[in-house]
Amino acid sequence: MRSSSFADYRTQTAQAVDPQQFGMAAVPEITRNAAARPDDAGFPADLSTVSNRQLRVLCNQTYRMLDRDFPAMEAVHHYELLVEEIERREVQAETRSEPTKARGGFRDNSLFSRFELFSDGTMVGHVKYEMKGPYAVLIQAVVDPQFDPVDVEPALIRRVLLNAHQRRIAVVPYCPRVREFLREFPQYRALLPVDQRKRLEAALLVSADA
């Protein structure tokens, strides 16, 4: 039997490795699917030109896009723009002037656990709440006796619902005045968590049949 010397191995030419031998060529190239990105074509470039009805429709549609495990960043940005435009129109309607000229404000006073509404530097009303786990239970709506509750209360509750929803705070409409507002203005029910919205609508249906 003939044995090969070390020189025989050294002079042998190494063979090129075929990638297909190991299945390397079968690995598909990873490409970005442009069709998977949300379509911005249907979102208005200028929300100030959109009607109030269309603004509510866009808000509801965008909220349904957010109510997913992994919402698109474009949907989050669109929803923030929609909420800002709704709040701007609310303030404009209340003051009958541009919001930049209005001397008012709204804040979540976590120290006293209440949402507060101001006009001309004076607190005109507040909604008391209590945190129960991830939920903010709206307990009581209070309007300063010096002001007309017919004007202040709807504005106060609107700001509470919009602010809480913008900050992703789940609210429970336990307060009778808040529930009455949601009965009169059903478009704002979309700002509630799904479970709370279903409970509210069931309760309103029972009270209507009574």
Side-chain angles (χ1 to χ4, degrees), residues 2-124:
R2 180 180 179 275
S3 60
S4 300
S5 64
F6 176 76
D8 294 333
Y9 285 105
R10 185 176 59 182
T11 57
Q12 290 178 357
T13 304
Q15 296 181 353
V17 178
D18 185 3
Q20 293 184 354
Q21 180 181 356
F22 301 97
M24 296 176 62
V27 179
E29 182 182 357
I30 300 176
T31 58
R32 187 179 298 275
N33 185 6
R37 297 183 59 189
D39 185 10
D40 292 345
F43 195 82
D46 185 3
L47 290 177
S48 63
T49 62
V50 178
S51 66
N52 290 336
R53 180 180 180 278
Q54 184 62 23
L55 195 65
R56 290 194 297 268
V57 170
L58 286 171
C59 191
N60 292 339
Q61 292 175 347
T62 309
Y63 178 68
R64 284 194 292 269
M65 295 176 63
L66 289 177
D67 196 18
R68 301 174 181 175
D69 293 335
F70 302 100
M73 290 302 300
E74 289 85 350
V76 176
H77 177 62
H78 289 170
Y79 188 74
E80 291 177 350
L81 294 176
L82 288 166
V83 171
E84 289 178 0
E85 178 62 20
I86 291 175
E87 290 184 341
R88 186 190 72 82
R89 295 189 186 189
E90 293 291 349
V91 174
Q92 186 174 4
E94 294 165 12
T95 59
R96 297 292 187 262
S97 62
E98 288 298 323
T100 54
K101 299 179 181 179
R103 291 185 298 167
F106 177 87
R107 71 174 181 178
D108 175 10
N109 190 336
S110 58
L111 180 62
F112 294 100
S113 298
R114 65 189 186 189
F115 296 101
E116 301 172 341
L117 181 66
F118 294 84
S119 178
D120 291 332
T122 302
M123 186 171 68
V124 298

